[in-house]
Amino acid sequence: MPTKVILDTDIGYCTDPDDAIALAYLLLRDDCDLLGVTTVGKLSPQRAELAEVICTQLGRGDLPIHAGAHHPMCATPYWRTNPVQPWPTDAQPRPQRTYPPGRAVPWLIETIRRHPGEITLITIGQFTNLATLLLCDPDSAAMLARVVSMGGRLNYPREHPETECNVMLDPVATAVCVQRVQTPFALLTVDRIHGMDLDRDMLGEMLAGDRLAAVRATGERWAQARGTTAVGLADPFTVAMAFERDVATYRRGRVGVRLSHQFLANGSPMAGDDLTGYTTFAPDPQGPHEIVDTADKAATHRHLLDVFRSARTR
């Protein structure tokens, strides 16, 4: 039986296109029954519009899409900067629906209760929607089959001081999630996939064809602004490991989130020596969480190519 999945994402036009690639991956898998998409983050309605465009191009214009939280539980300075832009007016296809923010969690509750114990929730944006679900209706959240998430960083090398935004943008929501999730919870931290970006050649092979034009367009302006043609692997890896566990090895334990007083007092999360993304991990064979320990770059790239290539032959 296909796996029932809901994707919670901070997808956006002119942002890193890894969310768009992750959504396309789920739409292209025959063994994925994607029940719907929820968006999270500043300008969540515009994020939902992009999700609709991608779904429509891939033949799923009927898919439920709901805009979620567009403010964090705890505001941070980094929240104020966001490159999301409206889908261009001359782009085809155009969004056909409007997406008022705040509709994601009610839809999640309704859908999870309709399929108790069957749904895998994959979160590849900040954790605000999931945290709101856990606080508003913990009983329905406990009916999820599992949660697979991308967020945080642990022992990132000091010579690579990039931040990890899913935790940075709403650390309080992250803390709520790691404390309250009662179903199997697997987490990818960004340090586990350092150096595994998708390069120009691989992206060209994966995203060829008219059906993936919106996915390609999502990151073109972002890539120009960044002066790069590579795309981070974090979100595609997260959706892949929900189906193909062999792309990684795992450790069981307890994930935590440190909330510094300077950070909560509106200090800059980009400054100072504390660049761990406020994520901690304590190994524990009986712990409630599972984190990626090692990632197999070759196997992951090969798997992604196989999924996208096979879809073009159907």
Side-chain angles (χ1 to χ4, degrees):
M1 293 290 292
T3 300
K4 291 181 172 61
V5 170
I6 294 172
L7 180 68
D8 186 62
T9 173
D10 61 349
I11 190 171
Y13 178 61
C14 291
T15 68
D16 190 334
D18 58 346
D19 287 82
I21 293 170
L23 173 56
Y25 171 93
L26 295 175
L27 290 165
L28 294 174
R29 285 196 70 112
D30 290 332
D31 58 352
C32 175
D33 181 8
L34 186 61
L35 300 180
V37 177
T38 57
T39 60
V40 64
K42 184 178 179 181
L43 302 176
S44 62
Q46 289 182 192
R47 299 176 189 275
E49 289 180 359
L50 175 59
E52 180 198 317
V53 168
I54 291 172
C55 291
T56 298
Q57 281 200 336
L58 288 169
R60 289 300 312 275
D62 61 325
L63 196 72
I65 299 171
H66 294 277
H70 62 135
H71 296 295
M73 288 187 169
C74 175
T76 70
Y78 199 42
W79 185 268
R80 292 196 294 266
T81 60
N82 194 306
V84 172
Q85 297 181 20
W87 185 249
T89 56
D90 58 347
Q92 297 293 333
R94 293 286 304 146
Q96 300 300 308
R97 292 174 275 175
T98 58
Y99 299 93
R103 300 289 179 86
V105 171
W107 178 82
L108 284 169
I109 293 171
E110 175 188 352
T111 306
I112 293 166
R113 288 185 173 275
R114 195 163 62 244
H115 304 281
E118 299 180 16
I119 295 174
T120 295
L121 176 63
I122 304 177
T123 73
I124 54 174
Q126 49 266 38
F127 289 85
T128 317
N129 284 341
L130 177 55
T132 304
L133 171 66
L134 288 161
L135 293 172
C136 291
D137 193 344
D139 291 339
S140 65
M143 296 178 188
L144 288 165
R146 57 178 175 154
V147 176
V148 179
S149 296
M150 188 274 142
R153 51 186 284 171
L154 297 173
N155 299 317
Y156 212 109
R158 287 293 177 180
E159 63 270 22
H160 303 292
E162 296 89 349
T163 57
E164 192 293 300
C165 295
N166 291 351
V167 173
M168 283 286 195
L169 288 172
D170 198 345
V172 170
T174 311
V176 168
C177 292
V178 299
Q179 291 171 5
R180 292 177 178 254
V181 168
Q182 301 176 44
T183 55
F185 185 17
L187 181 73
L188 169 70
T189 56
V190 72
D191 50 292
R192 300 302 136 179
I193 54 167
H194 180 69
M196 293 175 60
D197 290 355
L198 304 171
D199 62 24
R200 179 201 294 267
D201 292 340
M202 185 169 180
L203 288 169
E205 175 66 20
M206 285 174 55
L207 304 181
D210 293 341
R211 298 172 69 207
L212 293 167
V215 178
R216 292 195 303 273
T218 299
E220 287 176 354
R221 193 175 302 175
W222 170 85
Q224 293 171 1
R226 295 290 186 96
T228 181
T229 57
V231 172
L233 189 65
D235 294 339
F237 188 96
T238 302
V239 294
M241 77 180 193
F243 289 87
E244 306 289 337
R245 281 186 58 85
D246 290 347
V247 298
T249 62
Y250 306 85
R251 297 177 71 192
R252 184 157 293 281
R254 297 179 180 275
V255 175
V257 179
R258 290 182 292 114
L259 305 174
S260 80
H261 293 295
Q262 179 184 6
F263 184 73
L264 294 179
N266 214 33
S268 171
M270 307 290 285
D273 296 328
D274 188 0
L275 293 170
T276 60
Y278 303 94
T279 312
T280 64
F281 179 75
D284 178 355
Q286 306 303 317
H289 307 130
E290 187 177 54
I291 67 163
V292 170
D293 188 27
T294 62
D296 189 325
K297 177 179 179 179
T300 305
H301 284 188
R302 185 167 56 250
H303 169 67
L304 291 172
L305 280 172
D306 287 346
V307 169
F308 281 83
R309 282 172 176 164
S310 64
R312 288 203 294 274
T313 65
R314 295 199 299 269

